[in-house]
């Protein structure tokens, strides 16, 4: 788990091992329960089972193209499979705008791969 904050909005990033869409749905439901007051929980996942690649993403009501798709592309570009990135956003009261929102989600996700 990594936390990134910008203009009072808090982005909490998680990286999970997954092998199916069902696992992703379960993690999403668990995070919704854990983070009841979060405004958005966006995610992207990519699986590769016996050479069959599949994946998906959700913007969870964020502006189209600012959250789930960039995370999905990050997984594809880094050739990372059987992983899911979830980012929980607590809105801080200040609108970020599409470009800052996109940057915040990508920054949060890339922090997961640092160490």
């Amino acid at each position: 788990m990594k936390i990134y904050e910008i203009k009072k909005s808090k982005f909490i990033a998680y990286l999970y091992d997954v092998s199916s869409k069902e696992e992703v749905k379960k993690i999403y439901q668990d995070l919704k329960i854990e983070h009841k007051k979060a405004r958005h929980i966006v995610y992207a996942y990519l699986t590769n089972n016996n050479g069959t690649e599949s994946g998906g993403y959700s913007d969870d009501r964020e502006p189209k193209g600012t959250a789930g798709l960039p995370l999905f592309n990050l997984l594809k570009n880094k050739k990372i499979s059987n992983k899911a990135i979830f980012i929980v956003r607590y809105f801080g009261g200040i609108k970020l705008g599409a470009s800052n929102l996109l940057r915040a989600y990508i920054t949060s996700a890339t922090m997961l791969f640092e160490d």
Side-chain angles (χ1 to χ4, degrees), residues 21-79:
K21 186 176 184 175
E22 290 70 33
E23 284 181 75
V24 172
K25 287 179 181 178
K26 170 82 171 91
I27 294 165
Y28 177 76
Q29 292 305 322
D30 291 347
L31 286 172
K32 276 184 76 130
I33 292 165
E34 183 181 340
H35 296 279
K36 286 181 178 72
K37 293 187 177 184
R39 179 73 64 95
H40 306 280
I41 300 176
V42 306
Y43 66 84
Y45 70 97
L46 192 59
T47 60
N48 190 333
N49 296 314
N50 302 323
T52 303
E53 192 175 81
S54 81
Y57 60 89
S58 169
D59 290 325
D60 192 27
R61 302 178 325 276
E62 288 284 29
K64 187 176 168 83
T66 61
L69 182 59
L71 299 179
F72 182 74
N73 288 334
L74 180 71
L75 289 172
K76 278 189 93 73
N77 293 338
K78 288 187 172 282
K79 296 180 176 32

